[in-house]
RNA sequence: GGAGAGAUGGCCGAGCGGCUGAAGGCGCCGGUUUGCUAAACCGGUGUACGGGUUACAACCUGUACCGCGGGUUCGAAUCCCGCUCUCUCCGCCA
């Protein structure tokens, strides 16, 4: 969420930002509603001032009436009091009307305000869609195979690493079981990612709720814009509906951990990591990536989140660092990847900048997105009321950033496909062997 | 599923119609004292939105805010109603 004052003072920046992101907003409507509301509030304040003044006279007057012994003087004072009491009644009529009008305006303002995106940072290239993303660098060599390359789907079937038909029978499209060595590989990647972040990078490990209240979804910026992507879990009870949402990323739990709190600057930065199951409806993707483990409704992800001071430079530094963390993991797995600076059109409403990592996937003969590092400045913190007291004692909004460390089973696609042998087996990446009881190769049982 | 209790500032906690933006404590900031640190003592310390004013800051001033929304009243943290959330006990499940 943006600061209303910032929008008021920088309408051009906000308008251009939304346009660059290809997000249509009713900025004029918002500004007009805001101006109207403010005018009404000003008038309401004047009325309240008058009323308070009168009210403050009545108190002492009542005291004097009680103390007054002389009936004549007392009657005079009571007359005064009665007069005074009349006036607020008149004022009240007008202020009630004003309040009514202001209240009617508020939902309109909020609805628009929540849809105003964070303008992209100046270093983000302009562009319409992911086609216009800019490659920052490449790492590793894309291998050429001397045998026909099998897709992860073929390998999975042959080596019984996962079972999509049974998953679908049980849970519908985009569902799967991981089986045997497939399940082990999945756990191994996640453990490697988690251990690296905790024991080498100094992140604090958390387990997080994946079933959360609406406030957490709205606070982290996934609502209202992405509402259709979340599974809603609700039960009708006698007193109403008990509604929760399944989170699509551990980012929700990590970022909303300090929801509504005021931290102390000495507590920052917070470096948090979690492994959590992620749920995504993938609404509107019918026919896209329909087979295999690329686009699925449920997966597990190790996610890193940074909560830091309200400082642009510091945010940018952390952005580089969380990106480097993930690159390091891919390098340990020896998976070729490229780093893509997303263009304005590819950014979500909450991002100032976003850098994706795409890992080479032989069956696609292309790089496929496996990581996404976001820099959000105080956009989420505002919605979450996530603040800190700085060294001057001033309360400020934090900055937040996040990045994937490893999302599996998607990351199994490049692992299986890149480590396959001519015989149709899969070598286990060295970095994962300690997590697989030393297993070196996955063959048909 | 049944019954009860509660929601106050960064935190804890008092207040239960006007003298309350809110006692007291903790924390934090400034000062005094002190070989250093600590302790002790003194003072200060909420947020948001307006207006004045200023080069900014500071300062002055107004309004709102004691979970949220409504009602009663000249006046509500305080009384009444609704909602949300939290906790406790019993039951059930693990």
């Amino acid at each position: 969420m943006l600061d209303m004052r910032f929008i008021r003072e920088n309408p051009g920046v906000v308008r251009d930002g939304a346009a660059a992101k290809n997000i249509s907003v009713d900025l004029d409507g918002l500004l007009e509603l805001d101006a109207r509301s403010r005018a009404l509030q000003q008038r309401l304040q004047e009325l309240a001032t008058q009323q308070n003044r009168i009210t403050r006279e009545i108190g002492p007057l009542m005291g004097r009436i009680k103390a007054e012994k002389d009936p004549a003087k007392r009657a005079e004072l009571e007359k005064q009091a009665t007069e005074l009491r009349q006036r607020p009644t008149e004022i009240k009529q007008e202020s009630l009307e004003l309040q009514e009008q202001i209240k009617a305006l508020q939902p309109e303002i909020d609805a628009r305000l929540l849809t105003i995106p964070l303008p992209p940072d100046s270093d983000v290239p302009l562009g319409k869609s992911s086609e216009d993303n800019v490659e920052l660098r490449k790492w590793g060599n894309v291998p050429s195979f001397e045998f026909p390359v099998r897709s992860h789907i073929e390998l999975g079937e042959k080596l019984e690493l996962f079972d999509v038909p049974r998953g679908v029978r049980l849970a519908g499209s985009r569902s799967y079981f991981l089986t045997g060595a497939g399940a082990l590989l999945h756990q191994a990647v996640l453990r490697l990612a988690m251990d690296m972040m905790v024991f080498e990078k100094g992140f604090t490990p958390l387990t997080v709720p994946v079933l959360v209240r609406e406030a957490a979804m709205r606070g982290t910026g996934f609502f209202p814009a992405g509402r259709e992507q979340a599974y809603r879990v609700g039960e009708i009870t006698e007193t109403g509906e008990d509604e929760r949402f399944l989170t699509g990323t551990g980012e929700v739990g990590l970022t909303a951990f300090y929801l509504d709190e005021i931290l102390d600057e000495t507590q920052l930065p917070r470096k948090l990591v979690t492994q959590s199951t992620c749920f995504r409806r993938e609404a509107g993707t019918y026919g896209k990536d329909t087979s295999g483990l690329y686009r699925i409704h449920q997966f597990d992800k190790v996610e890193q989140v940074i909560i830091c001071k309200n400082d642009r430079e510091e945010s940018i530094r952390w952005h580089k660092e969380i990106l480097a963390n993930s690159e390091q993991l891919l390098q340990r797995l020896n998976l070729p990847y490229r780093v893509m600076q997303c263009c304005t059109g590819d950014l979500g409403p909450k991002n100032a900048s976003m850098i994706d990592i795409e890992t080479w996937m032989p069956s696609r003969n292309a790089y496929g997105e496996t990581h996404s590092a976001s820099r959000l400045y105080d956009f989420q913190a505002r919605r979450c009321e996530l603040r800190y007291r700085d060294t001057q004692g001033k309360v400020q909004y934090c900055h937040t950033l996040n990045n994937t460390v490893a999302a599996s089973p998607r990351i199994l696609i490049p692992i299986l496909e890149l480590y396959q042998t001519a015989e149709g087996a899969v070598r286990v990446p060295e970095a994962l062997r300690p997590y697989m009881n030393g297993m070196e190769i996955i063959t048909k049982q």
Side-chain angles (χ1 to χ4, degrees), chain A residues 221-428:
Chain A
F222 289 94
F223 284 7
R227 200 181 183 98
E228 68 289 344
Q229 283 305 325
Y231 285 103
R232 194 179 71 85
V233 180
E235 192 181 329
I236 311 289
T237 63
E238 279 176 33
T239 49
E241 196 171 359
D242 184 22
E243 186 187 56
R244 299 287 138 93
F245 297 89
L246 287 167
T247 56
T249 164
E251 173 192 337
V252 176
L254 295 182
T255 307
F257 183 62
Y258 295 107
L259 185 76
D260 252 343
E261 289 189 42
I262 299 181
L263 304 171
D264 197 87
E265 184 170 327
T266 55
Q267 293 173 269
L268 301 176
R270 303 295 301 139
K271 299 157 70 179
L272 307 176
V273 65
T274 192
Q275 179 194 317
S276 73
T277 303
C278 307
F279 302 91
R280 299 189 180 180
R281 290 192 59 219
E282 296 296 351
T285 60
Y286 309 112
K288 223 164 119 186
D289 313 307
T290 47
S291 61
L293 299 177
Y294 191 81
R295 194 174 295 280
I296 48 198
H297 289 308
Q298 178 188 328
F299 58 96
D300 292 283
K301 180 154 67 90
V302 175
E303 178 81 6
Q304 51 181 327
V305 160
I306 301 280
I307 299 169
C308 71
K309 284 193 298 187
N310 194 305
D311 182 299
R312 215 177 171 83
E313 296 308 311
E314 184 171 335
S315 266
I316 291 170
R317 276 204 305 280
W318 283 117
H319 199 200
K320 287 185 177 138
E321 189 153 331
I322 59 176
L323 188 64
N325 290 341
S326 302
E327 286 188 63
Q328 198 173 325
L329 184 85
L330 291 175
Q331 289 175 15
R332 272 184 213 191
L333 291 168
N334 202 26
L335 302 176
Y337 63 83
R338 61 176 187 173
V339 179
M340 304 293 289
Q341 168 67 60
C342 294
C343 73
T344 55
D346 204 24
L347 298 187
K350 61 197 174 106
N351 303 57
S353 174
M354 186 163 90
I355 300 176
D356 284 355
I357 302 177
E358 301 179 345
T359 308
W360 181 255
M361 299 183 182
S363 65
R364 300 183 145 230
N365 196 34
Y367 289 95
E369 182 188 329
T370 50
H371 297 70
S372 189
S374 294
R375 184 164 88 224
L376 304 104
Y377 295 133
D378 60 3
F379 190 82
Q380 279 180 323
R382 269 177 200 287
R383 294 182 174 224
C384 281
E385 287 299 322
L386 170 50
R387 295 156 294 169
Y388 68 99
R389 200 172 290 279
D390 70 15
T391 46
Q392 272 80 50
K394 200 166 174 288
V395 174
Q396 304 220 44
Y397 285 105
C398 300
H399 279 189
T400 62
L401 304 103
N402 62 73
N403 189 15
T404 318
V405 185
S408 179
R410 188 181 276 191
I411 195 69
L412 298 186
I413 298 172
I415 292 177
L416 294 174
E417 294 179 355
L418 287 160
Y419 279 85
Q420 66 181 296
T421 67
E423 297 73 37
V426 171
R427 287 181 299 112
V428 176

Side-chain angles (χ1 to χ4, degrees), chain A residues 181-208:
Chain A
L184 288 179
L185 208 53
H186 170 80
Q187 296 293 351
V189 181
L190 296 172
R191 270 301 300 278
L192 173 67
M194 202 69 189
D195 283 2
M196 184 184 94
M197 295 307 288
V198 174
F199 299 118
E200 295 176 38
K201 305 296 177 188
F203 278 62
T204 304
L206 268 65
T207 71
V208 296

Side-chain angles (χ1 to χ4, degrees), chain A residues 8-288:
Chain A
R8 208 180 288 140
E9 289 168 3
N10 305 277
V13 174
V14 174
R15 194 187 314 275
D16 293 348
K21 281 187 168 183
N22 259 330
I23 296 172
S24 66
V25 292
D26 182 15
L27 183 61
D28 291 327
L30 175 63
L31 289 171
E32 205 234 292
L33 288 165
D34 173 59
R36 237 196 294 164
S37 168
R38 278 154 46 86
L40 292 171
Q41 278 176 48
Q42 234 173 72
R43 174 67 188 144
L44 184 64
Q45 272 193 21
E46 285 167 22
L47 291 175
T49 307
Q50 287 178 33
Q51 169 149 351
N52 286 341
R53 207 167 284 153
I54 294 161
T55 293
R56 258 178 251 134
E57 285 176 36
I58 293 177
L61 191 57
M62 299 306 280
R64 275 168 60 204
I65 290 170
K66 271 188 200 151
E68 186 57 63
K69 294 276 174 2
D70 183 345
K73 286 186 182 164
R74 189 175 177 140
E76 175 58 28
L77 288 172
E78 275 181 13
K79 204 177 138 211
Q80 279 181 36
T82 310
E83 261 169 50
L84 274 177
R85 266 186 223 157
Q86 290 303 332
R87 282 156 61 194
T89 314
E90 294 153 24
I91 292 170
K92 202 170 174 186
Q93 193 53 37
E94 191 182 344
S95 46
L96 275 176
E97 278 164 34
L98 284 172
Q99 280 174 37
E100 203 96 342
Q101 291 175 42
I102 293 168
K103 213 168 65 187
L105 247 35
Q106 203 51 52
E108 305 261 324
I109 293 174
D110 289 344
R112 284 169 178 77
L113 189 56
L114 277 177
T115 63
I116 304 284
L118 184 65
D121 234 340
S122 50
D123 60 337
V124 176
L126 279 170
K128 286 253 176 288
S129 70
S130 55
E131 313 248 309
D132 301 317
N133 292 349
V134 176
E135 184 182 300
L136 297 179
R137 59 182 167 272
K138 270 193 178 121
W139 185 91
N141 297 315
V142 171
S144 51
F145 291 88
E146 279 149 24
F147 52 89
V149 180
R150 296 179 179 86
S151 74
H152 73 283
I153 301 171
E154 294 168 88
L155 291 164
E157 278 171 11
K158 188 170 176 312
L159 301 172
E160 295 181 359
L161 303 176
F162 50 88
D163 192 328
V164 171
R166 288 196 170 97
V168 170
R169 184 173 69 190
L170 169 79
S173 68
R174 300 196 190 283
S175 303
Y176 60 94
F177 284 90
L178 293 176
T179 54
L184 288 179
L185 208 53
H186 170 80
Q187 296 293 351
V189 181
L190 296 172
R191 270 301 300 278
L192 173 67
M194 202 69 189
D195 283 2
M196 184 184 94
M197 295 307 288
V198 174
F199 299 118
E200 295 176 38
K201 305 296 177 188
F203 278 62
T204 304
L206 268 65
T207 71
V208 296
V210 295
L211 192 58
V212 303
R213 292 209 174 98
E214 170 150 11
M217 297 299 277
R218 208 181 36 240
T220 46
F222 289 94
F223 284 7
R227 200 181 183 98
E228 68 289 344
Q229 283 305 325
Y231 285 103
R232 194 179 71 85
V233 180
E235 192 181 329
I236 311 289
T237 63
E238 279 176 33
T239 49
E241 196 171 359
D242 184 22
E243 186 187 56
R244 299 287 138 93
F245 297 89
L246 287 167
T247 56
T249 164
E251 173 192 337
V252 176
L254 295 182
T255 307
F257 183 62
Y258 295 107
L259 185 76
D260 252 343
E261 289 189 42
I262 299 181
L263 304 171
D264 197 87
E265 184 170 327
T266 55
Q267 293 173 269
L268 301 176
R270 303 295 301 139
K271 299 157 70 179
L272 307 176
V273 65
T274 192
Q275 179 194 317
S276 73
T277 303
C278 307
F279 302 91
R280 299 189 180 180
R281 290 192 59 219
E282 296 296 351
T285 60
Y286 309 112
K288 223 164 119 186

